[in-house]
Amino acid sequence: MSLVIPMVIFMQQRMAEAGNAEEAKAMQAYMKTDQPFYGVKAPERKAIFKQAREHTKITSFIEYKRLVLWLWSGENREEQYMAMDVAEYFKAFRTLEAFPVYEEMLTEAGHWDTVDKIASNLIGPLIKAHRELEDVVRNWRESDNMWLRRASLLVHLKHKSETNLSLLEETILMLASENEFFIRKAIGWVLREYAKTDSDYVRSFVQRYQEQLSPLSRKEALKNL
């Protein structure tokens, strides 16, 4: 039997034991989802993951992929959170080979709590290292899936001075006319983050395109300037 299976079972059992029914209801209500929660907060979840690592070592990409995707397919939301924690922790396996794994997670994610982390922490670094993946991001901009369109913005979030500004500008202007809150918010967020690298650029961009950008996007972009 794969070492990954008992590791998954261990984490599921520990989260079930640590779960709190009242917290679970509150977390479910906050995320406005029908998906059940254990009621386990991030510090407890991270402690459980640490315990799991102490008795099971992940030594190959196939083990990494299986662990991430089996957790991701779990019934409770915290299993998805754990999948993202696991995916991010094992840096040696966050290679080009992992991109289809992350994309599968992204296409199945249904809210900002999962979409944003997958886009910015897992996919974003791969986009920066492998610019040929930008063609995939270009396709996301035209997807019927609003979360993929949001992800096409947020993959740039942590690129700082290595941001592909022409692609980011093009993406923002393609999506700027949308009325969707999560798109408008993401436009402002990615500009606000890039302002930490080049505040003059962001000021100039917002001024140039103030007619296209929504008030929410402009406000978010300039919040810290």
Side-chain angles (χ1 to χ4, degrees):
M1 181 170 64
S2 169
L3 291 175
V4 170
I5 296 174
M7 191 176 187
V8 171
I9 293 171
F10 174 87
M11 289 190 280
Q12 289 172 327
Q13 288 178 338
R14 290 295 184 275
M15 286 194 287
E17 292 166 2
N20 179 295
E22 290 302 313
E23 288 288 351
K25 287 181 183 177
M27 294 164 84
Q28 191 177 28
Y30 177 71
M31 291 310 305
K32 300 178 182 177
T33 178
D34 293 330
Q35 186 175 11
F37 282 77
Y38 288 114
V40 177
K41 294 187 176 180
E44 297 168 293
R45 196 177 68 242
K46 292 181 187 302
I48 290 168
F49 178 33
K50 182 179 179 183
Q51 291 169 10
R53 296 197 308 272
E54 288 172 354
H55 70 71
T56 306
K57 305 301 179 187
I58 301 301
T59 59
S60 69
F61 178 79
I62 192 64
E63 289 177 339
Y64 171 79
K65 176 181 177 179
R66 285 174 178 166
L67 178 57
V68 170
L69 291 181
W70 283 350
L71 282 168
W72 181 256
S73 65
E75 182 181 355
N76 289 45
R77 190 65 148 240
E78 287 95 335
E79 286 160 310
Q80 292 188 337
Y81 296 160
M82 188 73 84
M84 295 187 295
D85 292 341
V86 168
E88 193 169 1
Y89 178 82
F90 292 104
K91 295 181 181 179
F93 303 119
R94 285 165 49 187
T95 62
L96 187 60
E97 191 176 13
F99 182 78
V101 177
Y102 304 154
E103 187 175 27
E104 179 177 338
M105 294 164 68
L106 183 65
T107 56
E108 294 174 357
H111 214 336
W112 60 263
D113 60 331
T114 48
V115 169
D116 294 4
K117 187 168 183 175
I118 295 167
S120 61
N121 290 17
L122 297 175
I123 294 177
L126 285 181
I127 299 295
K128 188 172 71 171
H130 303 278
R131 293 295 181 177
E132 66 271 20
L133 295 175
E134 289 178 340
D135 285 339
V136 180
V137 177
R138 288 185 177 91
N139 291 334
W140 293 348
R141 303 180 305 192
E142 300 179 37
S143 172
D144 292 335
N145 182 339
M146 182 273 293
W147 297 111
L148 280 181
R149 300 199 302 278
R150 179 174 167 98
S152 73
L153 294 158
L154 297 185
V155 293
H156 301 276
L157 196 64
K158 299 183 178 183
H159 288 182
K160 300 181 179 179
S161 61
E162 295 180 74
T163 300
N164 181 340
L165 282 178
S166 61
L167 176 58
L168 179 58
E169 277 197 24
E170 184 180 275
T171 303
I172 289 173
L173 295 177
M174 276 186 66
L175 302 178
S177 61
E178 290 203 25
N179 292 322
E180 173 58 57
F181 168 84
F182 287 103
I183 297 297
R184 292 182 168 191
K185 188 85 170 178
I187 289 172
W189 184 15
V190 73
L191 286 171
R192 184 174 78 242
E193 196 64 24
Y194 186 68
K196 297 175 183 177
T197 298
D198 190 343
S199 59
D200 289 340
Y201 169 84
V202 172
R203 283 195 188 92
S204 173
F205 181 84
V206 172
Q207 184 172 5
R208 269 185 292 148
Y209 298 109
Q210 58 183 320
E211 296 301 319
Q212 287 100 311
L213 296 172
S214 70
L216 174 61
S217 295
R218 296 197 303 267
K219 178 183 176 183
E220 288 294 321
L222 302 175
K223 183 179 284 186
N224 295 330
L225 298 182

